[in-house]
Amino acid sequence: MDAAGTGFGGQQPKAVQRALAMLEAVAHLGAGVSAKQISAYTRVPPATAYRLLNLLVAEGFLVRTPDLTGFALGRRTSELAYAAATTQPARTVAEILADLRTETRYGLYVTSFRGGTLRMVDTDPDHEIVSAATISRNPHAHAAGKLLLAYRPRPLAPADLRPVTAHTVIDPVTLRSQLAHILATEIASENQESRIGRAALAVPVRDPGAEVVGGLCLQGTVGRVSADNTDLVAFLRDGAAELIGLL
């Protein structure tokens, strides 16, 4: 069927695809993402991106952040996500994690950040998982803890930045840079910072309103688990998407 038969003009289907790509970009990059970042992520020319972003804001699918420098998912997008969730059979965190564990040999667990406190929601029965209490004592040394610090900022005195191993980041400036990078990329990592030979990744888990309420975390051996491993990162992002609204 040609463009005329669809009821759309020649450029309209492409515009719709670009608008949907922008919604997906905001969902992946997180609240506060700038128009420039969205344009780069979607490879849409800046002028076109600005025009479509303004349209999405006007229609309620996106909103501007209070400082007017970025964008977040809007009411209508949340309503669509909620409607989709309520029309499908409900799955529990345990069921989703059980399925995800059949696809990886690494340890996999879920944390909650509700109330600003890290707690374990689901731990891996086949791998030794760091306890919530251990992560909370030294959040700067753990991927899940760094995720918490990035999305639930709190002041850390120099005395709080204790070295757990020789690789633990204890310099405040370096840690702040890492947390900013987490907010920009939505991926936290650790490399032998809490235990020699172990590495870990963590991605945010959101509620239907796009607020970060926890993390999906994967741990394994150094050299195999890294933020440079695009397959692992994609696996975690897909898993986090399945957990939306369940924490």
Side-chain angles (χ1 to χ4, degrees):
M1 181 179 293
D2 59 20
T6 65
F8 290 105
Q11 296 300 317
Q12 286 178 309
K14 189 172 185 179
V16 171
Q17 291 171 346
R18 286 174 165 176
L20 292 174
M22 289 183 177
L23 288 175
E24 184 178 6
V26 176
H28 278 296
L29 299 176
V33 61
S34 68
K36 183 178 180 181
Q37 290 171 314
I38 295 170
S39 173
Y41 186 90
T42 59
R43 298 183 180 179
V44 174
T48 303
Y50 290 133
R51 185 168 63 253
L52 289 174
L53 287 169
N54 286 333
L55 177 61
L56 289 169
V57 169
E59 294 296 326
F61 290 103
L62 292 178
V63 295
R64 290 188 177 276
T65 52
D67 60 6
L68 302 179
T69 62
F71 297 87
L73 295 178
R75 173 185 54 81
R76 293 186 68 182
T77 307
S78 298
E79 288 174 350
L80 287 174
Y82 178 77
T86 56
T87 56
Q88 298 175 359
R91 299 181 70 205
T92 66
V93 172
E95 289 170 340
I96 292 171
L97 265 290
D99 287 346
L100 292 174
R101 287 179 183 127
T102 65
E103 301 178 35
T104 182
R105 57 186 167 177
Y106 302 115
L108 205 61
Y109 60 99
V110 176
T111 62
S112 169
F113 301 157
R114 295 284 190 183
T117 300
L118 187 145
R119 66 179 180 85
M120 292 291 176
V121 176
D122 186 283
T123 57
D124 196 320
D126 298 320
H127 293 81
E128 181 186 359
I129 299 298
V130 183
S131 70
T134 298
I135 297 175
S136 296
R137 282 196 296 271
N138 298 290
H140 60 291
H142 300 268
K146 292 179 186 179
L147 202 66
L148 172 66
L149 291 175
Y151 288 99
R152 297 287 190 277
R154 68 174 188 265
L156 288 175
D160 295 325
L161 301 179
R162 294 177 289 270
V164 181
T165 73
H167 301 276
T168 307
V169 174
I170 58 174
D171 176 60
V173 175
T174 303
L175 180 61
R176 283 196 295 271
S177 176
Q178 285 190 353
L179 298 182
H181 186 69
I182 291 170
L183 291 175
T185 62
E186 295 203 337
I187 181 77
S189 64
E190 64 174 279
N191 185 13
Q192 303 192 93
E193 295 170 56
S194 63
R195 176 180 289 184
I196 298 299
R198 181 172 64 199
L201 301 172
V203 298
V205 175
R206 301 178 182 275
D207 67 10
E211 179 186 359
V212 173
V213 292
L216 175 61
C217 314
L218 179 147
Q219 67 178 41
T221 55
V222 169
R224 295 183 180 274
V225 173
S226 163
D228 295 329
N229 188 324
T230 55
D231 289 337
L232 276 185
V233 172
F235 169 73
L236 282 174
R237 292 196 196 283
D238 290 344
E242 292 190 62
L243 294 167
I244 290 175
L246 296 182
L247 298 189

